[in-house]
Amino acid sequence: MSAANKDVKVGLRGRLINLPVALYIASVVLVFLPSRMAERVTMSNPIAFIFVLTFTLVFFWIKLGKKGGTQQAKDIATVIFVFFLLWEAITTKLDWLPYIFVPAPENVFYSYIQLWDYMLSGLARSLYLLLTGFIASLVIGVSLGIAVGWLPRLRQAVFPIAKAISTVPAIVYGPYIVVIMPTFTAASILVIFFGTFWSTFMNMINRVGTIDARIINTAKVLNVNTRTMLFHIIMPYTLPRIINDMSVALSISMMTLTFAEMIGADRGIGYFVRRSLDYANYTQAFAGIFFIAVVITVLQVFITVLKKKLIKWDY
Amino acid sequence: MGRIEIQDLSLVYRSGREKFLALDNINTKIDDGEFVCIVGSSGCGKSTLLGVLEGLLTPTGGRVLIDGKPIHGTGPERAVVFQQYTLFPWMSAIQNVVFGVKQVRRELSAKQLEEIGVEFLQKVGLKDFLHKRPGELSGGMQQRVAIARALAVNPQILLMDEPFGAIDAKTRLTLQEMLLNLWAEDAEKKTVVFVTHDIDEAILLSDKILFMEPKRISREIPVTMPRPRDRDSMYDDKEFRDLRNNLVILFYKDIKEQIGGEEVML
Ligand SMILES: Nc1ncnc2c1ncn2[C@@H]1O[C@H](COP(=O)(O)OP(=O)(O)OP(=O)(O)O)[C@@H](O)[C@H]1O
Ligand SMILES: [Mg+2]
């Protein structure tokens, strides 16, 4: 448990009288003022948008109670509310931007109510591809990396090669993989796999090669065999950094997945965005993009929690 | 059991094309159950010599015999305590101790292993800290755990490379005392090879001091003061003072040579 997570007392006044709350109220009031955009576009029920605003506020209040995060929570909430406020004002109230390209927030968030089942099944599909490719890449990259890193000659031979290959983004040869693989599912998983495999593999080789000699020598004088050395010494020793790299790898995987879904899928959240764009339905495209951002954020939070649970000893 | 013979031992470090002779034809014997300290100025090859005994370094010439048999690599009859940061940070104190035992005694059950862990942590005065991770222990406590881990495998030979070198002066005295007691309480004493920079420490602990000059052992100095030795009365002992003076002079000469014959203050 880090000190930054302890609860602190924030009084009722402290919660109610601050900039984010004022901005929240302003946003809600603004939603109910007459809309100029409504003359040309059907406006959806603002309930979903109000819900998003309120959810942000509640989340801000929760964060406000955590030690060390108060100022940051205020600043983040301020930025988010200003963004929503400007979006609402510029589109529906002032009608400054071409309404076809910049949809109203009410309409964007209402899409979730209209399309939730469709989006959720797309999400399930995307997560299946993402997690299969990502986890396979992680497991194989880490174990091969440990094995190669442990043998100095192999390490010196393979490291520069892996490094060179890792600079080529998998999406460059992605279309080729789509052509040679029998199904699109298999192809996507493979592209996602290669999206992070080389860098995971390379980082792991490097890490095992530069591990603290005192730890290795201690293990050697305790007469460990190779298996124990790899799985009980090197593996836990490198675990904190494996998890650190996981968040970067996950973002890359997500990018690769979205790319794959935009070239040849018939389901999934990337496909949802592409199809919306194809039909010039920018309201739905916005909704899809927000949705992807939220999913990635949730996965990243999950990795952070995993790290806190697993690594209590990090230096 | 635990007699060490070092015969014509030399070691060359190679890095790329460069070669560096770190040990040059060393010959010595260390008796079974003897407590030997190696002293000498920095860079003279103490850690290198110990590295060969540990089995981490392979000699380029000569050999090391233990009870008449040449060593190849590390072995369960030898245990090592290094200077610092050698506990596995992800394991608790008891897991660290047990880990060593598990490697050489696969037949033991989890319960037996735990008993050994508790026993040895108790010996070093840490029975209330069994489940603390190294990061939660002070430097002195970490060295206690390292000593417990080394002793728990019941080695015949204990190899220690400046084990108290990074410990504050006061804690150091307690740890020296503890080590001596642990060593003396065994019916069949372990052979100990202990590297140190501290002359007083060497005299207090050892039966024999091996004085190293660069690349070789230049002198073997027996320490015959009776045991148990008392630190306070030791300073009044004539033998102690003579020995200390001799060592200081040896050290001084060595240092003077290294900095080019200038006068230096000790
Ligand atoms: N891996 C290495 N490669 C090349 N030279 C080395 C290596 N390790 C040690 N040396 C050299 O060998 C000599 C002996 O080193 P060693 O570490 O044994 O000294 P030491 O007596 O333990 O010194 P200290 O008291 O500072 O610990 C030194 O001159 C050192 O520079
Ligand atoms: Mg040394």
Side-chain angles (χ1 to χ4, degrees):
Chain A
M1 287 294 122
S2 66
N5 259 335
K6 296 264 168 56
D7 288 355
V8 286
K9 266 220 137 21
V10 179
L12 195 61
R13 268 177 69 96
R15 282 182 189 275
L16 289 182
I17 303 177
N18 55 43
L19 188 55
V21 173
L23 288 167
Y24 167 78
I25 295 169
S27 307
V28 174
V29 170
L30 193 65
V31 168
F32 290 104
L33 292 179
S35 158
R36 282 172 72 181
M37 200 187 205
E39 292 159 20
R40 287 183 286 179
V41 182
T42 322
M43 296 299 293
S44 304
N45 188 331
I47 178 98
F49 182 40
I50 304 262
F51 175 80
V52 169
L53 289 170
T54 311
F55 182 81
T56 311
L57 185 72
V58 169
F59 200 71
F60 159 66
W61 274 338
I62 294 173
K63 285 279 168 197
L64 211 54
K66 304 267 163 93
K67 202 180 204 166
T70 308
Q71 194 55 49
Q72 195 192 12
K74 276 187 188 157
D75 293 345
I76 292 177
T78 304
V79 171
I80 294 175
F81 284 128
V82 166
F83 170 75
F84 282 141
L85 196 68
L86 286 178
W87 186 12
E88 171 70 18
I90 290 174
T91 53
T92 70
K93 301 292 132 42
L94 301 169
D95 205 7
W96 279 357
L97 296 171
Y99 63 90
I100 297 180
F101 297 120
V102 188
E106 286 94 326
N107 294 6
V108 168
F109 291 113
Y110 198 70
S111 315
Y112 296 124
I113 292 180
Q114 290 172 309
L115 297 167
W116 66 270
D117 50 345
Y118 188 68
M119 291 182 92
L120 277 190
S121 70
L123 173 69
R125 169 73 184 171
S126 295
L127 280 185
Y128 165 69
L129 298 181
L130 178 80
L131 294 180
T132 313
F134 174 70
I135 292 173
S137 158
L138 188 71
V139 170
I140 299 175
V142 165
S143 11
L144 271 184
I146 288 182
V148 170
W150 182 238
L151 303 167
R153 277 182 60 192
L154 201 56
R155 171 172 77 230
Q156 278 149 22
V158 174
F159 181 69
I161 300 174
K163 195 170 172 180
I165 300 178
S166 74
T167 58
V168 184
I171 48 177
V172 170
Y173 47 87
Y176 173 66
I177 293 180
V178 172
V179 170
I180 59 166
M181 292 305 282
T183 64
F184 180 74
T185 306
S188 321
I189 291 174
L190 202 62
V191 178
I192 293 165
F193 174 86
F194 280 124
T196 56
F197 171 78
W198 292 107
S199 65
T200 307
F201 180 53
M202 179 194 83
N203 287 339
M204 210 58 212
I205 295 177
N206 194 26
R207 240 166 251 151
V208 174
T210 55
I211 196 166
D212 188 344
R214 288 177 294 202
I215 293 286
I216 298 296
N217 283 341
T218 306
K220 280 186 183 161
V221 298
L222 289 171
N223 302 291
V224 302
N225 58 29
T226 309
R227 218 186 104 91
T228 310
M229 182 67 101
L230 295 182
F231 293 104
H232 295 274
I233 304 295
I234 293 176
M235 190 72 149
Y237 185 87
T238 47
L239 195 62
R241 275 164 290 173
I242 295 177
I243 298 182
N244 270 344
D245 281 5
M246 264 169 75
S247 35
V248 178
L250 188 68
S251 299
I252 295 174
S253 298
M254 192 69 196
M255 248 153 60
T256 322
L257 167 77
T258 320
F259 161 79
E261 286 185 335
M262 290 180 93
I263 58 169
D266 54 1
R267 279 176 291 170
I269 35 182
Y271 168 74
F272 176 85
V273 173
R274 192 202 73 202
R275 210 209 37 180
S276 305
L277 291 173
D278 285 350
Y279 289 100
N281 187 340
Y282 299 117
T283 310
Q284 273 183 31
F286 265 59
I289 291 165
F290 272 117
F291 190 54
I292 292 176
V294 169
V295 169
I296 299 180
T297 308
V298 169
L299 290 174
Q300 297 287 16
V301 168
F302 179 72
I303 290 180
T304 313
V305 171
L306 190 73
K307 181 168 182 194
K308 269 197 193 132
K309 285 263 173 294
L310 234 50
I311 315 296
K312 301 208 173 77
W313 55 272
D314 202 8
Y315 20 80
Chain B
M1 298 294 274
R3 186 165 41 90
I4 306 173
E5 283 166 80
I6 299 174
Q7 300 177 338
D8 305 325
L9 182 72
S10 45
L11 189 134
V12 177
Y13 281 116
R14 259 175 251 266
S15 44
R17 286 241 201 103
E18 294 199 7
K19 288 183 180 179
F20 178 81
L21 179 67
L23 299 177
D24 185 12
N25 200 30
I26 291 185
N27 282 285
T28 192
K29 276 187 194 151
I30 297 169
D31 254 343
D32 173 18
E34 203 171 18
F35 200 129
V36 169
C37 281
I38 302 181
V39 297
S41 52
S42 186
C44 67
K46 303 182 295 293
S47 296
T48 307
L49 177 56
L50 217 65
V52 174
L53 297 181
E54 286 152 5
L56 291 174
L57 295 172
T58 314
T60 20
R63 58 185 187 164
V64 174
L65 305 177
I66 289 178
D67 297 322
K69 285 191 229 86
I71 60 164
H72 299 284
T74 60
E77 77 287 354
R78 283 161 283 153
V80 182
V81 180
F82 295 105
Q83 187 170 12
Q84 225 187 344
Y85 301 124
T86 58
L87 297 179
F88 302 123
W90 57 92
M91 295 183 194
S92 67
I94 189 162
Q95 284 170 332
N96 264 286
V97 174
V98 162
F99 179 84
V101 183
K102 210 156 48 177
Q103 304 314 312
V104 288
R105 298 185 63 190
R106 299 260 168 204
E107 76 282 1
L108 295 181
S109 69
K111 191 163 167 291
Q112 288 169 310
L113 285 170
E114 164 148 6
E115 278 167 14
I116 296 179
V118 174
E119 178 193 339
F120 280 88
L121 281 172
Q122 193 153 16
K123 282 191 181 194
V124 297
L126 289 181
K127 75 170 191 316
D128 296 333
F129 298 87
L130 299 181
H131 302 292
K132 292 268 188 253
R133 267 183 295 273
E136 303 168 301
L137 299 173
S138 71
M141 287 162 140
Q142 291 183 30
Q143 280 313 78
R144 285 172 191 257
V145 179
I147 291 171
R149 177 171 66 184
L151 294 177
V153 298
N154 193 23
Q156 292 150 20
I157 297 171
L158 192 55
L159 304 167
M160 307 179 96
D161 193 350
E162 300 191 47
F164 309 144
I167 306 289
D168 70 274
K170 201 167 155 215
T171 311
R172 195 171 200 183
L173 302 186
T174 337
L175 290 182
Q176 291 166 353
E177 215 77 47
M178 185 195 82
L179 177 66
L180 266 188
N181 293 338
L182 288 172
W183 174 72
E185 81 181 17
D186 275 342
E188 201 176 309
K189 286 197 175 41
K190 298 184 196 319
T191 308
V192 183
V193 185
F194 187 108
V195 172
T196 177
H197 274 114
D198 180 339
I199 294 177
D200 291 356
E201 182 171 71
I203 301 175
L204 175 78
L205 296 176
S206 63
D207 296 318
K208 183 165 80 184
I209 294 174
L210 303 180
F211 189 85
M212 277 187 86
E213 273 169 31
K215 308 180 199 317
R216 60 197 189 88
I217 294 173
S218 61
R219 246 167 253 237
E220 301 197 3
I221 306 154
V223 183
T224 52
M225 291 183 305
R227 293 178 190 272
R229 292 173 191 160
D230 175 45
R231 192 191 308 276
D232 301 325
S233 58
M234 200 170 73
Y235 286 91
D236 302 328
D237 191 304
K238 183 166 181 321
E239 185 182 345
F240 173 83
R241 275 181 287 145
D242 290 348
L243 204 54
R244 194 173 189 283
N245 282 341
N246 280 338
L247 283 165
V248 168
I249 289 164
L250 279 174
F251 245 122
Y252 177 67
K253 172 172 153 267
D254 211 29
I255 292 169
K256 211 159 95 172
E257 276 166 10
Q258 277 186 11
I259 66 162
E262 298 285 317
E263 281 295 315
V264 281
M265 296 294 292
L266 268 181

